[in-house]
Amino acid sequence: MDLRFGDSKPTDEERAAVDALLGPPESSWEGADRSDADLRWARGGREARNRRDLLLPGLHAVNDRVGWISEGALDYLCRRLTVPPAEAYGVATFYAMFSVRPRPATVLHVCTDLACTAAGAAGLCADVESRLAPGSGVQVERSACLGLCERAPAALAIRAGETARPAFEDEARPGPQGGPGAQPPGEGNGKGRRGRTTQRSTAVCAPATPDTAVRAATAPETAPPEPPPATAVPQAGDPALTLLRRVGTADPADLDDYRAHGGYTALRRAFALGPAGVIREVTDSGLTGRGGAAFPTGRKWQATASQPDHPHYLVCNADESEPGTFKDRVLMEGDPYALVEAMTIAAYATGAHRGYLYLRGEYPRALRRMEHAIGQARARGLLGDDVLGQGYAFDIEIRRGAGAYICGEETALFNSIEGHRGEPRSKPPFPVEKGLFGRPTAENNVETLVNVLPVLTMGAQAYAAIGTGKSTGPKLFCVSGSVARPGVYELPFGATLGELLRLAGVRDNLRAVLLGGAAGGFVRPDELDIPLTFEGTREAGTTLGSGVVMAFDDTVPLPRLLLRIAEFFRDESCGQCVPCRVGTVRQQEALHRIADRTGDGAADDIALLREVGRTMRDASICGLGQTAWNAVESAIDRLGAYE
Amino acid sequence: MTVTPLGIPRRLLEFTLDGEPVRAPEGSTILDACRAAGKDVPTLCEGDTLTPKNACRVCVVEVEGSRTLVPACSRRAEPGMEVRTGTERARHSRKVVLELLASSVDLSTTPRVAGWLKEYEAKPDRFGPDAARVDEEPRVDNDLYVRDYGKCILCYKCVDACGDQWQNTFAISVAGRGFDARIAVEHDAPLTDSACVYCGNCIEVCPTGALSFKSEFDMRAAGTWDESRQSETTTVCAYCGVGCNLTLHVQDNEIVKVTSPHDNPVTHGNLCIKGRFGYQHVQNRD
């Protein structure tokens, strides 16, 4: 490789940020001062290039410390990792949370996506922008879905600085009864922390008012604290729950409490069954992937386990970025050890000794919780060289996303971890054969993995008895929009849309329900008897997707919502293939043209949309382009959006 | 004459192409089989010496059992596969993809596109006069290359050629995302401040003329570029002992650009700065 680095030098701060991650450089070949010895040896080559997967953490390190990534910082990072600067520049400019231009240390992301738009995000944005004018030291960015739909509208403040390492202690630990209301607003935030040097570097603000959003950005210690995770679970405490039963009842920071609530019995059973036994059990349970594709989990694990190539990897996809989806966040915040245990089981079954948890960058609390849980599990011998004394080695590494919906696509996620642009790969080969680092990889979504625990504790038969014949087990639904009690609901597969909406307190004048998120489809209020199963929704000509149920009443302007969906796909397209890169733009343009038109005035553009949509669905490389037209098409066909 | 090395013998596999049984060597792509069968499937991002990126999606075909269309350039033929190249579904996608491309960039210097637009009845204008386009001024920051983003279809061929597939310089990559994605050097700097070694191999593979020789760019601007008056002569580069083949493009007794034959087993179309650009001494008549 013929590498050339520019003349730009990193500042001391940038250098310190990179060195804190990678350790001090060993020679002038990777950025240290030149010594006599450096003239006689060269370090680099394969060994250094093999650390390319530290590029994304390195970019985060600089961005966390300085707030943006300068030429000098990028060049220094490239020198340390033997990455060509052009490629690193391509990676840095791919993610929404990074900037390669100078910007203030504090960035306030204000969500403008579906649930937040319906809850008045436009007004919030305008108000916040007027109060935080340029020069205020805060940059306001209109952001894609922040995954806080149950508390819309939402904002997230991120402040760069030396102490920007997210600390676990910066929020009150909910007690065992930490349900709704356990933590009065205004308390538990400043207590015990005043005078500490650790400043809060991220502040989640939802529901946000102009006042609280501005305070979160300018004086985070005065902003109201984030409510405990259980507030997102209206059913919290219900003994009938399976997946959510510990959210709000067990302390998410306490491993012993997790064990007292039944934690680690599934892993013990897994060790008793052996890897093949676990796969048999998971296959018999009929568990299918909950990320949206509904692929049989047992088959995926079997295919990975049987690959002769080694090592095998396990990847947990926690890059939940589908507008309207927040269940993985609630699971990780409310029951983090469950995910650690489930990942251990999945790795054991598929023969992996290393697992990557790819967590979206917009989830600061889930990140802290998972870091804490993994650290505790490691300290107690539940991760590491000898898990539970069974002679099985497994450890988990967290990788933080940096704002790219596309990285939830399984192969784009691999590229992102490996330090490349998060562009999807073409399949075949499939991940079970050539996945992360070109090795056999089992990739599962958070909810899918957490389902493995009841499969093993209840047994496959009892688990399969829940739900319907083809869709087995309990399912999480993210209900938001025009309902009285938005949040994550757990129901057995087969409950109807109407039952779920009644549970969440749907209001009268319901106009439409979006099923499956921006990549899903709309259904009418007279279709509420659709059974919430994979086969039931398919029969009804729609999709269950990742379990999004977003209700919109007749006050929500439908054309604007569709335009927002089109904007979302335009912004989030990686740009690799033509149907998606240009198609999403043409879709948005056409919707813009017909925003206020109906009938004949819209007919030409609707015909155009259909042609482009059909091509996007047929010819795009990955699911993003293939589904970008779904919601709009369903709004036209089922809701008569432009009639 | 170029020497084509004989590879290891490969087994033949049998599948169906447009209803006809065909045999193709193991490992060949659907596109290889189509070409062998004399079928014309349009391609833009496929390069004869590069791993197909399948980003342009104009070569999509229908494969029985596949939910979506598949790119012929990169999908390997499998025994028993049923492939259809000219179905309404495949032709529709090709048409719309060509429309999307032609409506967003300038394809006037892309060989064969005009014919395809006609064949598929593509109407790039129907997206309206306000359709977003990549309208950028060509970047002329050195005497050898011109980068014209207004013609770039992001086929990734130059990135692959500069990177691990040909040159191993890694001077260019894709930056940004979505419609705003652009081919760029580090920090989007001028080429002269980048890692570029001016081998010109990216120009060699560019399918649209987005990357061009300054000589060609200037002559086009002056209206003197005329391929019908050009002759091509392949010779051996005299600079060093490697023996790279050069194809000299000569118009009115002046060398106007230098390319290299891709089927040459030594270089596969690669050249260095001297072979590609160092030809002025040939026409120095003093």
Side-chain angles (χ1 to χ4, degrees), chain A residues 4, chain B residues 139-144 147 185-186 189-196 198:
Chain A
R4 178 191 169 277
Chain B
R139 285 173 82 161
V140 189
D141 49 24
N142 65 87
D143 288 336
L144 303 180
R147 297 180 281 168
V185 301
E186 62 268 34
L191 211 59
T192 44
D193 292 348
S194 77
C196 178
Y198 302 94

Side-chain angles (χ1 to χ4, degrees), chain B residues 21-225:
Chain B
V22 290
R23 283 148 68 85
E26 219 170 32
S28 51
T29 62
I30 295 174
L31 186 67
D32 295 333
C34 287
R35 286 183 173 161
K39 285 181 197 302
D40 181 35
V41 177
T43 62
L44 284 168
C45 71
E46 184 259 353
D48 49 2
T49 61
L50 299 168
T51 307
K53 186 72 187 170
N54 65 68
C56 76
R57 317 303 275 188
V58 290
C59 69
V60 286
V61 295
E62 213 168 321
V63 171
E64 186 75 34
S66 172
R67 187 171 47 85
T68 55
L69 299 173
V70 306
C73 68
S74 64
R75 178 63 66 86
R76 307 241 172 252
E78 290 162 31
M81 210 177 215
E82 275 188 48
V83 180
R84 282 185 296 276
T85 61
T87 58
E88 191 273 331
R89 193 174 162 207
R91 290 182 64 89
H92 172 83
S93 272
R94 275 182 225 156
K95 176 188 109 165
V96 174
V97 165
L98 286 167
E99 283 176 341
L100 292 173
L101 271 178
S103 67
S104 55
V105 292
D106 169 18
L107 295 178
S108 62
T109 49
T110 310
R112 303 201 57 196
V113 152
W116 293 332
L117 288 172
K118 208 170 189 179
E119 181 190 343
Y120 291 96
E121 293 169 8
K123 296 182 190 65
D125 297 340
R126 66 191 180 124
F127 298 113
D130 300 330
R133 289 185 64 85
V134 184
D135 275 331
E136 286 174 38
E137 284 300 303
R139 285 173 82 161
V140 189
D141 49 24
N142 65 87
D143 288 336
L144 303 180
Y145 288 50
V146 178
R147 297 180 281 168
D148 188 349
Y149 286 90
K151 290 179 176 174
C152 177
I153 59 166
L154 280 171
C155 69
Y156 289 68
K157 277 162 97 172
C158 56
V159 177
D160 290 345
C162 190
D164 57 355
Q165 296 190 25
W166 271 17
Q167 181 63 25
N168 267 290
T169 291
F170 298 91
I172 44 180
S173 136
V174 179
R177 191 163 85 189
F179 197 74
D180 301 325
R182 293 284 182 279
I183 304 289
V185 301
E186 62 268 34
H187 318 303
D188 201 19
L191 211 59
T192 44
D193 292 348
S194 77
C196 178
V197 298
Y198 302 94
C199 62
N201 289 333
C202 54
I203 304 181
E204 181 77 46
V205 296
C206 179
T208 62
L211 289 166
S212 65
F213 292 85
K214 179 79 163 33
S215 54
E216 177 176 343
F217 179 81
D218 288 344
M219 287 175 74
R220 279 187 191 275
T224 54
W225 182 261

Side-chain angles (χ1 to χ4, degrees), chain A residues 108-161:
Chain A
L108 181 68
H109 299 267
V110 184
C111 180
T112 55
D113 237 310
L114 304 176
C116 289
T117 292
L124 175 67
C125 274
D127 211 337
V128 167
E129 273 168 350
S130 71
R131 291 205 209 179
L132 293 170
S136 64
V138 179
Q139 178 160 325
V140 181
E141 283 190 5
R142 288 160 189 253
S143 133
C145 183
L146 292 171
L148 296 157
C149 317
E150 88 278 14
R151 287 184 270 142
L156 167 68
I158 300 176
R159 174 177 289 183

Side-chain angles (χ1 to χ4, degrees), chain A residues 93 423 589 611 614 618-619, chain B residues 57 88-89 126 132 156 176:
Chain A
T93 52
E423 291 171 352
E589 288 168 349
E611 285 202 29
R614 187 178 165 207
D618 266 353
Chain B
R57 317 303 275 188
E88 191 273 331
R89 193 174 162 207
R126 66 191 180 124
Y156 289 68

